[in-house]
Amino acid sequence: MKTKVLGIVWCATLWAVLSACSADKKEQQVIPIYQQWHTVSLSFIGNATNEQAQVNPFTDTRLLVRFTHQDKSYVVRGFYAADGDAANTSADSGSVWQVRFNPDEVGEWQYQAYLHQGKKIAISRSLDEGTLVKLKENSGRFKVVESDKKGRDFRAKGKLIAKGRYLGFSKDDKPWLKVGTNSPENFLAYVDFDDTYRGELEHQHEDAPQADTLHAYAPHAKDWQQGDITWGNAKGKNIIGATNYLASMGMNSVYFLTMNIGGDGKDVWPYTGYEERERFDVSKLEQWNLLFEHMQQQGLALHIVTQETENETMLDGGDLGFHRQLYYQELIARFGHHLALIWDLGEENGPVDFSPIGQTPEQRRAMARYFVKNDPYAHPVYLHTHASEHHRQETLPEVISETAITGLSFQVDQPVNVHQAILSWRKKAQEKGNNIQISMDEIGIWQEGLKPDADDPEHNILRQQVLWGSLMAGASGTEWYFGYNFPHNDLSAEDWRSRHNMWQQTSIAEQLLSQFQLNNFQPQDQLTVRKDDYVLAEEGKTYLVYLPSATGVNELQLSLGAYTVQWFNPRQGGALANGTTAQITTSQNNFGLPSEDPELDWLAVISLLK
């Protein structure tokens, strides 16, 4: 009898302990734990609907979620997510609404979700407008701890922000030079994305011939790695492999259009159809986002170009009307959480002879200010320019005084014009009180751009005049455009290995220049007697002199002191090497020659002797 009582007591005690442990475990599970700079994706259950519902879930229903941490608060727009897994199921109906948030602080966060209905409420940010729709579990909290990521993964670096004339990350004091690809501009015209096809095939631009099929990126199938993301029935491997290859070459950005209706490719749009403007393709956009998530982990920034010159007045005649706001809100809601993202207002923006109907200065300002006001993450805002100086003179004077525009995505017609064009427009912007960034993102002539390695193996002119010519002028980066007259062109490119040699040379330049605190440097070409070299200097400390050929009179005006001279090979990279002269001074300022191949291009690194 005693034994039985003891057994009952022991069992009761064990039950109490297990219950307490279970309660503790449940309490721990109540507060999810995320990492800083990692995506927090929350789902909410509302009324069942679909992409074609009479009450349009994209225009007449709107989810806003307030995230609060201590004295910091963000209101983030959500989006209709169909069944919550549309990337894999291709669903166009369901009752799930989602929001994506990227927490920038460690500690506890709280959130409160509000789903409203009302006519065209989607573009309103007022919580007092519309009819409140009941959501299940519309509030909660979570804890954020420090990120454990390292290397190229942007979650190790924080958010990409403007830092003077350069971009940089919130957790890193070094400059970040944007280097990557500008082609294919219709990168998202990919066969494995739902409902992707070409429209208006009978209206092809003679200077921009379309490919016969959508992108498949078959040459990059071998670059997909086990464990990489896919969707549906193992779809997406080739485009994921393509981004793996680009990252492996040291590139860190991809330029692409999210809408080219009426433009060159006519094969990329976020809507449910080519003629649609008020309903979005949920599964396609979710598949885009899976690709973008992978790119961020690979260290590839999203240079999102929202329109091109042929369609810049398609939405609301170019004004910031309902359809333009709806489009921007959807982009911000679905993709704004990504850490390294640049909003580009439009390719070749503004009227020109071949596209005479273009946006006005007032419309450009309105677009830029809209992103600044509505993007909770304050991503950089760029504007892509026309190629000729004549056209830039027509469109840029008003742009460079608009502080809502972070940078110019420069297009230049001839390589020989790159260096001076960047110097000239940086000076004009500074005279208006705006230290605007300029990135060299599309090089002409338009038919050629960056030729394949098979046609121009060494890329000497583009390396010298465009890559180093832009970066030595203080450019914030360089992206490569492929032209139209060669294989793997700006619309048909399937294999990024076609420009393998230039990716190598671009990475060499980026790695060397990123070692310096570039915001302390200024272009100072006048410090040398030569007219064909480029000088970027932190006067009195470090002088970088790029010479297209090292032979010649290599003299440099110096501040007082003694300086060491070393040489860097921009063709092959590697360590700094000694040349014919080890040291120079203010009075003995000929810095000599590299120890080999002086007839080729070299970078002299001249540093104050400590």
Side-chain angles (χ1 to χ4, degrees), residues 37-56:
W37 309 119
H38 292 227
T39 302
V40 175
S41 183
L42 302 176
S43 295
F44 305 94
I45 306 301
N47 296 329
T49 185
N50 62 77
E51 291 176 353
Q52 302 301 326
Q54 184 174 358
V55 177
N56 188 334

Side-chain angles (χ1 to χ4, degrees), residues 275-542:
E275 303 296 334
E276 180 59 61
R277 302 293 181 266
E278 294 187 356
R279 297 177 186 271
F280 296 90
D281 191 319
V282 174
S283 62
K284 178 196 292 187
L285 295 180
E286 290 300 281
Q287 290 160 2
W288 286 8
N289 189 65
L290 289 180
L291 169 65
F292 297 164
E293 294 279 2
H294 180 78
M295 291 169 65
Q296 296 281 285
Q297 294 169 22
Q298 292 294 309
L300 293 172
L302 312 174
H303 187 168
I304 295 180
V305 187
T306 65
Q307 59 186 5
E308 55 185 320
T309 191
E310 292 86 357
N311 66 16
E312 63 188 69
T313 61
M314 184 185 76
L315 298 177
D316 310 310
D319 286 336
L320 191 63
F322 175 74
H323 289 116
R324 185 171 296 274
Q325 291 184 58
L326 184 69
Y327 172 49
Y328 290 163
Q329 286 283 7
E330 201 72 21
L331 292 180
I332 293 169
R334 293 181 182 274
F335 311 129
H337 65 287
H338 292 296
L339 291 166
L341 182 154
I342 297 167
W343 299 118
D344 197 317
L345 301 176
E347 183 180 62
E348 299 176 333
N349 189 263
V352 289
D353 48 5
F354 62 86
S355 182
I357 302 175
Q359 288 181 294
T360 66
E362 292 75 19
Q363 290 172 328
R364 290 183 208 109
R365 291 193 194 97
M367 289 190 297
R369 293 174 183 178
Y370 189 81
F371 276 103
V372 169
K373 181 178 179 181
N374 288 276
D375 177 7
Y377 304 101
H379 291 299
V381 176
Y382 273 44
L383 180 75
H384 188 266
T385 76
H386 285 290
S388 73
E389 182 61 20
H390 169 69
H391 289 136
R392 288 193 293 269
Q393 291 283 0
E394 291 180 339
T395 58
L396 293 187
E398 297 86 357
V399 171
I400 58 176
S401 63
E402 176 52 66
T403 56
I405 297 177
T406 313
L408 299 176
S409 182
F410 238 46
Q411 181 184 183
V412 180
D413 51 2
Q414 296 285 347
V416 71
N417 296 330
V418 166
H419 187 75
Q420 286 302 322
I422 293 174
L423 290 178
S424 173
W425 283 99
R426 283 193 61 248
K427 182 179 179 181
K428 290 175 182 178
Q430 289 170 340
E431 289 172 349
K432 293 194 175 185
N434 190 7
N435 193 22
I436 202 165
Q437 298 173 8
I438 299 180
S439 180
M440 182 57 235
D441 290 342
E442 184 169 337
I443 187 59
I445 51 177
W446 67 265
Q447 304 98 318
E448 297 181 0
L450 173 62
K451 298 177 185 177
D453 294 345
D455 297 282
D456 184 13
E458 296 181 349
H459 304 293
N460 290 327
I461 291 177
L462 295 195
R463 181 184 66 256
Q464 295 171 14
Q465 297 181 357
V466 180
L467 177 59
W468 286 93
S470 64
L471 297 178
M472 295 295 288
S476 61
T478 301
E479 291 174 343
W480 295 108
Y481 159 79
F482 295 171
Y484 284 109
N485 283 3
F486 292 86
H488 298 286
N489 66 36
D490 189 41
L491 291 179
S492 68
E494 292 289 288
D495 188 358
W496 275 327
R497 279 187 176 84
S498 61
R499 275 78 171 178
H500 184 88
N501 293 350
M502 185 52 92
W503 306 137
Q504 289 183 321
Q505 295 178 37
T506 303
S507 180
I508 286 169
E510 184 273 332
Q511 289 182 46
L512 184 281
L513 292 175
S514 293
Q515 297 176 26
F516 299 96
Q517 290 293 343
L518 291 177
N519 268 316
N520 298 331
F521 285 67
Q522 293 294 333
Q524 299 281 3
D525 295 350
Q526 75 280 1
L527 295 180
T528 61
V529 298
R530 294 176 56 161
K531 302 300 182 183
D532 62 344
D533 59 4
Y534 313 133
V535 180
L536 194 61
E538 184 179 11
E539 287 199 67
K541 293 185 178 180
T542 306

Side-chain angles (χ1 to χ4, degrees), residues 168-209:
F169 285 91
S170 52
K171 290 183 65 178
D172 193 343
D173 61 355
K174 294 181 179 180
W176 183 81
L177 292 173
K178 178 174 66 67
V179 292
T181 184
N182 178 277
S183 296
E185 67 177 21
N186 62 342
F187 173 60
L188 297 179
Y190 176 52
V191 66
D192 281 357
F193 289 137
D194 283 355
D195 303 312
T196 299
Y197 57 91
R198 288 211 160 92
E200 291 190 285
L201 290 180
E202 69 279 11
H203 296 116
Q204 297 187 22
H205 194 294
E206 62 179 1
D207 293 335

Side-chain angles (χ1 to χ4, degrees), residues 55-79:
V55 177
N56 188 334
F58 306 104
T59 62
D60 300 338
T61 311
R62 181 214 58 206
L63 175 67
L64 292 177
V65 183
R66 184 185 300 278
F67 293 89
T68 305
H69 170 76
Q70 297 179 4
D71 58 350
K72 180 176 288 188
S73 179
Y74 295 97
V75 175
V76 181
R77 191 181 185 276
F79 53 90

